[in-house]
Amino acid sequence: MELPLGPQGKLQYEKLTGAAGQRTRTLWEQIFTEDTESFLTYYYGEKIPDAQIHVLSDESGQIVSMVHANPYIVMLHGVRRKSYYIVGVATAQPYRHRGCMAFLLQKAVWQAKSEGCPFVFLMPADAAIYEPFGFRYGARGALWERSAELKTLMEQCDAKAAGAFKSACVQAYKDVLGSACVPAYKDASGYRLTVYSDEDAGALAAYAAKMLARRYDTYCVHDEAYFERLSRELASENGALYLLWKKENSGICASEERVWRLCGYFCYACEENEFMQEVMVERRAEYLFIKKNEENRIMFLPLEESRAYGRAYFPEMV
């Protein structure tokens, strides 16, 4: 594939890895002006070290077009595979409509295919841009907002998330009990929220593995590192990862105590507008969340023939 032409001649292609990826930050800031300094600090600190970034530079060495390929481990019908999530597709204004994006997408796809990836995926701003390259929608996602009851639980969260409660619940889940005896308190809903900390990563990874395998055929693996990173991403967006606990009257605790069991998690952030994602809770708890609608969110480009993804789950992520 011929290198695209810039105003002064052919552009120079490079694949950046590790610290070299920091060179793309200037172009990112020029194109994605909605991203905050806090988010950029997170992204360029957390994601760039593992990313493969395909770029084109002009004769002065300035990067004028880029495609970021961030690696993820995915589960495909019970088998762990490597894949890439395509983000940061951008070209400086004077170099648009010269084939830069097509050239770099092709490079990213070839790289993924050479590594044995079954597909690459992305969340498009406009599906029409990617359809000519073979990308097709394959995962639907719900858009949620908070119910009045959930707002109340979130407002009470900081006051109620005492160390004894959280430690008992998390330790119980690590011990494969899935519940914990903790002091009771008056709460008609029977639910309680805690804000994620890294000590929760094991409990959440175990919970997510169970829920995702039950509901989906193809999904991003949610291991401990995933939740640790997700929490930092949400913090960069003025948000947090919440754990949802359900009060169970199992009768195994003393009368003055109750059993609490992890029954879900969700992400909440609020920059210019509040938004929710990854609402992964048990069906009976979904009434706490208001589903606005459900829409196609993620596009896939298959790299293997006759690949059926089945029910797919890929939340918004970078």
Side-chain angles (χ1 to χ4, degrees):
M1 188 174 183
E2 287 289 326
L3 281 165
L5 286 172
Q8 305 301 322
K10 285 187 177 180
L11 301 174
Q12 179 66 41
Y13 166 74
E14 292 180 86
K15 183 179 74 175
L16 306 180
T17 58
Q22 298 289 338
R23 291 170 48 198
T24 64
R25 181 159 177 165
T26 298
L27 180 60
W28 190 293
E29 291 173 342
Q30 290 174 355
I31 303 299
F32 304 113
T33 56
E34 70 278 11
D35 288 335
T36 64
E37 181 66 24
S38 176
F39 173 79
L40 288 173
T41 298
Y42 158 78
Y43 183 80
Y44 276 85
E46 296 275 349
K47 304 298 294 187
I48 289 298
D50 297 324
Q52 293 191 9
I53 308 176
H54 304 268
V55 303
L56 290 168
S57 304
D58 63 14
E59 68 282 355
S60 71
Q62 181 179 357
I63 293 173
V64 298
S65 187
M66 64 183 181
V67 167
H68 292 224
N70 293 334
Y72 280 89
I73 301 300
V74 301
M75 193 69 76
L76 184 58
H77 296 284
V79 179
R80 290 169 68 97
R81 304 286 298 275
K82 182 180 181 180
S83 184
Y84 284 97
Y85 183 54
I86 305 298
V87 294
V89 180
T91 301
Q93 184 65 47
Y95 297 87
R96 294 176 184 174
H97 309 296
R98 296 173 182 268
C100 293
M101 186 188 79
F103 180 89
L104 294 179
L105 274 177
Q106 189 68 62
K107 287 290 188 180
V109 169
W110 284 345
Q111 180 66 45
K113 193 167 185 176
S114 72
E115 296 180 23
C117 298
F119 57 81
V120 294
F121 59 110
L122 53 79
M123 187 176 70
D126 182 355
I129 296 174
Y130 298 98
E131 287 171 345
F133 300 98
F135 283 89
R136 294 292 182 268
Y137 278 115
R140 297 177 64 82
L143 298 176
W144 303 87
E145 57 186 35
R146 300 182 294 164
S147 67
E149 186 172 337
L150 183 60
K151 289 179 181 179
T152 299
L153 284 171
M154 291 177 69
E155 289 168 359
Q156 297 172 342
C157 180
D158 289 339
K160 288 184 176 180
F165 173 83
K166 193 167 186 179
S167 295
C169 291
V170 170
Q171 187 58 50
Y173 214 88
K174 287 180 179 178
D175 293 341
V176 200
L177 295 174
S179 60
C181 293
V182 296
Y185 69 96
K186 294 180 180 179
D187 182 358
S189 73
Y191 289 100
R192 194 173 196 177
L193 289 175
T194 58
V195 176
Y196 170 92
S197 65
D198 283 346
E199 69 177 3
D200 302 324
L204 268 182
Y207 179 82
K210 177 183 69 175
M211 295 294 288
L212 290 170
R214 181 184 299 168
R215 296 184 181 184
Y216 302 100
D217 303 300
T218 307
Y219 54 89
C220 175
V221 171
H222 288 44
D223 55 15
E224 294 187 25
Y226 176 93
F227 285 112
E228 290 166 358
R229 189 172 60 246
L230 177 60
S231 175
R232 292 190 290 270
E233 179 182 343
L234 289 165
S236 77
E237 298 171 320
N238 194 31
L241 176 59
Y242 286 86
L243 283 69
L244 182 67
W245 303 87
K246 172 65 176 175
K247 182 168 57 179
E248 303 283 0
N249 297 313
S250 67
I252 65 172
C253 292
S255 58
E256 71 275 8
E257 297 178 318
R258 294 292 185 269
V259 174
W260 293 88
R261 184 174 58 81
L262 180 63
C263 67
Y265 67 89
F266 64 93
C267 303
Y268 173 83
C270 185
E271 294 182 296
E272 292 185 3
N273 299 296
E274 68 176 32
F275 68 89
M276 300 182 69
Q277 64 187 58
E278 287 226 47
V279 177
M280 183 58 62
V281 299
E282 295 177 1
R283 300 298 186 194
R284 60 178 175 171
E286 286 185 355
Y287 80 93
L288 293 168
F289 306 84
I290 300 172
K291 184 182 288 189
K292 297 177 2 182
N293 56 40
E294 189 170 285
E295 62 183 31
N296 289 315
R297 309 298 293 277
I298 300 293
M299 300 184 82
F300 294 88
L301 176 63
L303 304 180
E304 296 177 346
E305 294 183 4
S306 303
R307 173 58 64 188
Y309 302 123
R311 299 164 300 163
Y313 177 75
F314 285 80
E316 298 175 29
M317 48 194 172
V318 293

